[in-house]
Each structure stands twice: as structure tokens, then as C-alpha cells.
């Protein structure tokens, strides 16, 4: 089997692995706040605040470990790390189904963060097998696996939670993640051929210097934090917003629908945005997506029923579906193959930092000023990120020239 066929086969296998991981991770998201409420007679403000902390704490350890796993992957290969990550998440989520207190759930979510880099590691795994000129399309295709799983996960999780209970849903989720570990065994790891004048190994200092010497790349990495703060600030309290708009009847199921609406829009456009980025330039498309997403998020503060909220989420997903593949394709373009795992690790670490801050900030703001205020925050952060990247691009004419040649 030649390398092109092996790469295509790996992409198909990792698509399904991402499908199961994406579905599993989002199966429990719609009812985290509701699950917390089963541990005692707590106030709404208490549940909102702990929802943010428990949702976000996973990303604290993930923030620390992502660059470490990326560097280990560059040196020793990513296949073993992918399997290890899936098995670690399987155990963590299974144990969440047997906890009896908020604190136990908190520490299990903290522990799970060590293994939470499966999606980003799979992106690095496929990225280093992909030629630069088609990176956007390929990474966009890979992302549709995660998105498709994320689309079905919340609805399935809502149905299971309403019919079988929260604890049983965690156990079924752990089985789906275990399937992903089995799938990775069937892949074959390799990299695109390294150029003759390109080093086969870089020290961490050299990787950091490479990032600093490419200001737009640095800006893209830093902005990753603000994007994730914006996108994740509403996640842990969305089910509470659905409950406020619709009432308690089948709230887990309707929360799943609202979560999945964004996934549907994402699924439709993710691969297309990657292809558009391949053609017109990744940074240019990323700026457009950020600015439009900032505008699209604002109406969420003014909805009066869950169907309006679902429409807002669908439109948002349609727009932000390109942010991840376009951003990753740009990193693939700017970072040599032998350091891509570590650079993508830093990118993922900064994303996890945003994932940590966003839910906690969203929970505190919602508890103090109401859930609608979180949409104002989200919209503002996305607009600021787009403007900041636009300024960075125009301060470096060589990037503008490079984009104009695409």
C-alpha cells in the first residue's frame, strides 16, 4: 500500500475514532448542571457556579499536559499516545457514573484533563501525513467526524439521561470512548517526507523561537484562548437557559437539541471552509469567520423560546465550523513537520486555557447578571479576536503578500 492510500485509510479510521470521541464527550455536556443538582438541595446560583468550575477544570490539567504530549508525539509517535488518551478518558468517565458528591465529580473531571487531548493529537497525527496545499480540506474532513459525533451525542445523551438516568449514561459513554481506542490500533503512523535541508528534531527552545519569529502565527495561537473563552462561556449553563426558556419538561432532551443545532451547522460547512482557506488564504478566512461569528452570537441574548435559541446556535455553528480546520491548516503551513506536534500542543494548551476560563467566567457572570449577559461577552470577545488578527496581519506585509499569491 503506497503512502497516499495509507493516508486516506488513516483519515477514514481517525474520522470514526473522532466520531465516537466527539459523541461521547458531548453526551454528558447537556446535563452536567442537572447532574450536580442530584447530589443535594442546592440553590440555582450554587449549581451555576459549580457547573462552570466542574466543566472547566478538565482543561486546567489539559492545559498543562497538551504541549508535553505534543513533544512526546513528535519524538516517539502519536499512535500510542492516542490509545493511552482514549483509555484514560474511558476510565475517568466510567467512574463519573458512580460518584456521590460534587467534589468527587470535580476531581474526576480534573483527572480526565490529563487524557483530554485525543482530538488535538489526532489532528496532529493526520496533519503530519498531509501535504500543505490540501491541509485545510483534509483537516476539515477530519473535523466532520468529531462534529458528527458531537451532533448526535447531546441528543442521545439527553434521551439516555431522561430514560435511564445520569449514572447509566456516563457508563455507556465510557464504552463509546473505548471503541475509539480499538480503532486507533488499526492505523499506521508515518509522516510526509521531510525536506533535505529541514531538521528532523527541534528543541523546545527552537520551537518557541520559531513561533516568536512568526508574529501572525503567534497571534493565531494567542487568539485561540480568546476564541475558546467566547465559545465555552455559555456551554455549562446552556441547559439552565433551556430550562428558563422552556421549563423542566424533558429538559435534558431539549438541551441536547440546542447543543446539536450548532453541531449541524458546523458539520455542513467545516470541510467547505477548509477548502476555501486552501484557496484564499487561511488567515484571511479566519478573520472573516471571527468577525461574522461575533455578530451572529449576539441575538442569543434576546431569544424568547428554545427554537429561536436553536436557530442562533445553528447559524453560529455554520460560521465557526471553519475556525478549527483553517487555524490548524495555517499552523501546518507555518510549522515544519518535525515540530508540528509541539506547536499544535501549544495551540491546544492555549485553547484549553480558554476552555478553563470560559465556563468559569460564564457561570459567574450568569449567576451575577443573568444568562443573557454571557452572550454579550461572547460576541465581544469574538469581534475583538477578529480585529486583533486583522491588525496583526496588516502589520506584517509579507503575510499579506503571501496570501495574495494564493
Amino acid at each position: 500500500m503506497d503512502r497516499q492510500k495509507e493516508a486516506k485509510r488513516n483519515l477514514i479510521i481517525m474520522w470514526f475514532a473522532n466520531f465516537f470521541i466527539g459523541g461521547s464527550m458531548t453526551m454528558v455536556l447537556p446535563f452536567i448542571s442537572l447532574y450536580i443538582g442530584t447530589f443535594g438541595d442546592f440553590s440555582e446560583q450554587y449549581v451555576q457556579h459549580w457547573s462552570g468550575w466542574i466543566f472547566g477544570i478538565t482543561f486546567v490539567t489539559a492545559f498543562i499536559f497538551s504541549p508535553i504530549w505534543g513533544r512526546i508525539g513528535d519524538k516517539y509517535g502519536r499512535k500510542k499516545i492516542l490509545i493511552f488518551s482514549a483509555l484514560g478518558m474511558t476510565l475517568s468517565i466510567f467512574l463519573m457514573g458512580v460518584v456521590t458528591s460534587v467534589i468527587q465529580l470535580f476531581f474526576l473531571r480534573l483527572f480526565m484533563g490529563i487524557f483530554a487531548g485525543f482530538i488535538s493529537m489526532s489532528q496532529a497525527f493526520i496533519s503530519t501525513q498531509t501535504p500543505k496545499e490540501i491541509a485545510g480540506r483534509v483537516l476539515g474532513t477530519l473535523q466532520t467526524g468529531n462534529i458528527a459525533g458531537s451532533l448526535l451525542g447531546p441528543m442521545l445523551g439527553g434521551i439516555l439521561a431522561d430514560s435511564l438516568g445520569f449514572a447509566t449514561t456516563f457508563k455507556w459513554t465510557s464504552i463509546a470512548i473505548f471503541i475509539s481506542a480499538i480503532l486507533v490500533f488499526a492505523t499506521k503512523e508515518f509522516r510526509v517526507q521531510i525536506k533535505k535541508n529541514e531538521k528532523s528534531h527541534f528543541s523546545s527552545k527552537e520551537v518557541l523561537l520559531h513561533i516568536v519569529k512568526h508574529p501572525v502565527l503567534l497571534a493565531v495561537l494567542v487568539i485561540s484562548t480568546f476564541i475558546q473563552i467566547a465559545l465555552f462561556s455559555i456551554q455549562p449553563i446552556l441547559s439552565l437557559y433551556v430550562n428558563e426558556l422552556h421549563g423542566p419538561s424533558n429538559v435534558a432532551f431539549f438541551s441536547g437539541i440546542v447543543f446539536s443545532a450548532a453541531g449541524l451547522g458546523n458539520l455542513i460547512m467545516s470541510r467547505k471552509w477548509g477548502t476555501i482557506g486552501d484557496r484564499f488564504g487561511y488567515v484571511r478566512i479566519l478573520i472573516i469567520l471571527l468577525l461574522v461569528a461575533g455578530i451572529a452570537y449576539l441575538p442569543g441574548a434576546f431569544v424568547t423560546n428554545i427554537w429561536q435559541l436553536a436557530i442562533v446556535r445553528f447559524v453560529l455553528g455554520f460560521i465557526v465550523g471553519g475556525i478549527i480546520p483553517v487555524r490548524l491548516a495555517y499552523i501546518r503551513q507555518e510549522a515544519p513537520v518535525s515540530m508540528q506536534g509541539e506547536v499544535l500542543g501549544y495551540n491546544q494548551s492555549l485553547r484549553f486555557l480558554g476552555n478553563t476560563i470560559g465556563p468559569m467566567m460564564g457561570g459567574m457572570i450568569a449567576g451575577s447578571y443573568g444568562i443573557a449577559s454571557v452572550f454579550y461577552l461572547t460576541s465581544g470577545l469574538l469581534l475583538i479576536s477578529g480585529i486583533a488578527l486583522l491588525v496583526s496581519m496588516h502589520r506584517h506585509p509579507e503575510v499579506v503578500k503571501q496570501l495574495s499569491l494564493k
Side-chain angles (χ1 to χ4, degrees), residues 201-218:
H201 178 70
F202 293 87
S203 67
S204 290
K205 181 179 179 180
E206 288 174 317
V207 174
L208 291 171
L209 284 174
H210 178 86
I211 293 171
V212 171
K213 290 178 180 178
H214 293 75
V216 178
L217 175 60
L218 178 61

Side-chain angles (χ1 to χ4, degrees), residues 72-383:
I72 293 173
D74 281 338
K75 191 171 183 180
Y76 299 107
R78 300 177 178 87
K79 181 175 177 177
K80 293 178 182 177
I81 297 174
L82 284 166
I83 295 170
F84 178 72
S85 174
L87 293 177
M89 285 192 291
T90 297
L91 177 62
S92 302
I93 292 184
F94 179 83
L95 292 176
M96 287 179 199
V98 298
V99 298
T100 57
S101 70
V102 175
I103 295 299
Q104 290 174 1
L105 183 61
F106 176 84
F107 279 107
L108 272 176
R109 290 278 299 177
L110 177 70
F111 175 72
M112 192 179 78
I114 297 172
F115 313 100
F118 184 95
I119 297 296
S120 60
M121 185 59 67
S122 68
Q123 291 165 343
F125 180 78
I126 295 299
S127 174
T128 52
Q129 302 175 7
T130 304
K132 291 182 180 182
E133 61 271 14
I134 59 170
R137 176 169 59 84
V138 171
L139 291 170
T141 301
L142 178 65
Q143 190 185 331
T144 60
N146 178 32
I147 296 166
S150 300
L151 176 63
L152 295 176
M155 288 191 292
L156 181 58
I159 293 171
L160 289 174
D162 284 335
S163 58
L164 301 177
F166 299 129
T168 302
T169 304
F170 278 106
K171 294 170 185 176
W172 278 105
T173 300
S174 68
I175 293 172
I177 294 178
F178 183 71
I179 293 173
S180 295
I182 296 173
L183 286 171
V184 176
F185 273 104
T187 63
K188 184 173 182 179
E189 185 165 9
F190 67 92
R191 300 178 182 179
V192 293
Q193 188 172 0
I194 298 175
K195 296 177 181 178
K196 291 183 179 180
N197 60 343
E198 185 177 313
K199 293 179 64 174
S200 60
H201 178 70
F202 293 87
S203 67
S204 290
K205 181 179 179 180
E206 288 174 317
V207 174
L208 291 171
L209 284 174
H210 178 86
I211 293 171
V212 171
K213 290 178 180 178
H214 293 75
V216 178
L217 175 60
L218 178 61
V220 168
L221 294 177
V222 172
I223 285 172
S224 294
T225 300
F226 295 101
I227 295 172
Q228 296 307 115
I229 291 174
L231 297 180
F232 273 68
S233 60
I234 196 66
Q235 298 284 51
I237 55 175
L238 195 58
S239 60
L240 300 176
Y241 198 27
V242 171
N243 185 59
E244 181 180 304
L245 293 170
H246 180 71
S249 177
N250 294 320
V251 65
F253 172 70
F254 285 106
S255 296
I257 290 177
V258 172
F259 266 88
S260 297
L264 179 59
N266 213 313
L267 179 64
I268 292 171
M269 281 300 292
S270 181
R271 187 174 187 272
K272 184 64 176 178
W273 283 126
T275 303
I276 293 172
D278 288 335
R279 182 177 179 184
F280 296 103
Y282 304 122
V283 176
R284 177 181 294 150
I285 298 302
L286 183 57
I287 291 169
I288 293 171
L289 291 172
L290 288 171
L291 295 176
V292 177
I295 297 170
Y297 223 121
L298 192 58
F302 305 103
V303 298
T304 57
N305 60 65
I306 62 166
W307 303 116
Q308 292 174 356
L309 180 61
I311 292 171
V312 170
R313 295 272 300 169
F314 173 78
V315 173
L316 180 71
F318 193 87
I319 297 164
V320 303
I323 288 179
I324 291 178
V326 169
R327 185 170 52 190
L328 292 177
Y330 176 71
I331 294 172
R332 168 71 183 90
Q333 183 184 67
E334 292 297 311
V337 172
S338 298
M339 68 164 66
Q340 279 179 28
E342 189 166 354
V343 175
L344 288 169
Y346 286 122
N347 175 68
Q348 189 67 12
S349 184
L350 290 167
R351 291 185 66 211
F352 281 142
L353 177 62
N355 293 356
T356 304
I357 297 171
M360 297 177 186
M361 182 182 295
M364 289 187 290
I365 291 175
S368 301
Y369 303 104
I371 294 176
S373 61
V374 181
F375 286 89
Y376 301 138
L377 170 70
T378 297
S379 181
L381 284 174
L382 290 170
L383 289 171

